[in-house]
Amino acid sequence: MSQVTFKGTPVNVAGTLPSVGEKAPAFSLTASDLSDKGLDAFAGKKKVLNIFPSLDTGTCAKSVREFNRRAGEHGDAVVLGISMDLPFAQARFAEAEGIDNIAMLSAFRHPEFLDDYGLRIADGPLAGLAARTVVVLDADNTVRHVELVDEIADQPDYEAALGAL
């Protein structure tokens, strides 16, 4: 179990994050068209998993906008925006914000993703949602970078994540 803070208050994060150098756990998540997508849908590409609690927070929305802006700089990579938000909400956000460089995926039907990646917030007001985490995978799904953001209300380290590509 890890611990982060939410607006300064400690919260526990259940499970164990993947480690650099190991293969990423396979997953299935829900796309905006309600189809299931897993890592195999992005085979041969480097991947940035931008995982966050909800698009309904300013910090999460900002991280999606920022990764969307920077994603074009890495043509051999794909950014996956992952949260427990419903696919309909993710699609509305993406359309309204012009998000076209990120594949939005929902864990709402696949909460095991949070457990498999060790990022389920276990207590506090955001219990059950994903802790703000960035995981970078190479084209073979080997973990190259992991950041569990210490303060949920803070942005991730974009330079470190994109540098790991």
Side-chain angles (χ1 to χ4, degrees):
M1 185 164 300
S2 303
Q3 192 173 70
V4 296
T5 58
F6 177 58
K7 298 183 180 180
T9 302
V11 295
N12 292 303
V13 179
T16 304
L17 291 163
S19 297
V20 171
E22 72 180 28
K23 286 289 185 185
F27 61 75
S28 181
L29 297 167
T30 306
S32 60
D33 65 0
L34 300 180
S35 67
D36 285 341
K37 291 207 185 232
L39 281 175
D40 57 338
F42 307 98
K45 290 201 165 262
K46 298 173 186 175
K47 293 160 264 315
V48 176
L49 282 59
N50 178 32
I51 307 160
F52 48 88
S54 175
L55 288 166
D56 285 327
T57 71
T59 304
C60 297
K62 182 176 179 181
S63 76
V64 172
R65 286 186 207 103
E66 186 64 17
F67 274 119
N68 184 67
R69 184 180 70 76
R70 293 182 179 207
E73 300 167 8
H74 300 275
D76 60 342
V78 61
V79 178
L80 310 179
I82 303 170
S83 69
M84 292 292 282
D85 292 303
L86 292 175
F88 313 112
Q90 290 178 335
R92 271 193 311 274
F93 176 85
E95 184 177 338
E97 296 289 332
I99 305 299
D100 52 9
N101 292 320
I102 295 182
M104 300 300 291
L105 299 170
S106 174
F108 90 107
R109 282 197 306 221
H110 304 282
E112 67 278 0
F113 170 79
L114 302 182
D115 299 323
D116 293 346
Y117 276 74
L119 44 83
R120 179 187 300 280
I121 299 173
D123 52 27
L126 299 180
L129 297 178
R132 184 174 316 287
T133 309
V134 177
V135 179
V136 177
L137 310 176
D138 66 15
D140 296 320
N141 297 328
T142 300
V143 178
R144 296 296 174 206
H145 170 81
V146 177
E147 179 190 12
L148 175 63
V149 179
D150 292 333
E151 166 57 57
I152 293 172
D154 288 346
Q155 294 295 305
D157 184 341
Y158 299 106
E159 299 306 322
L162 296 172
L165 289 173

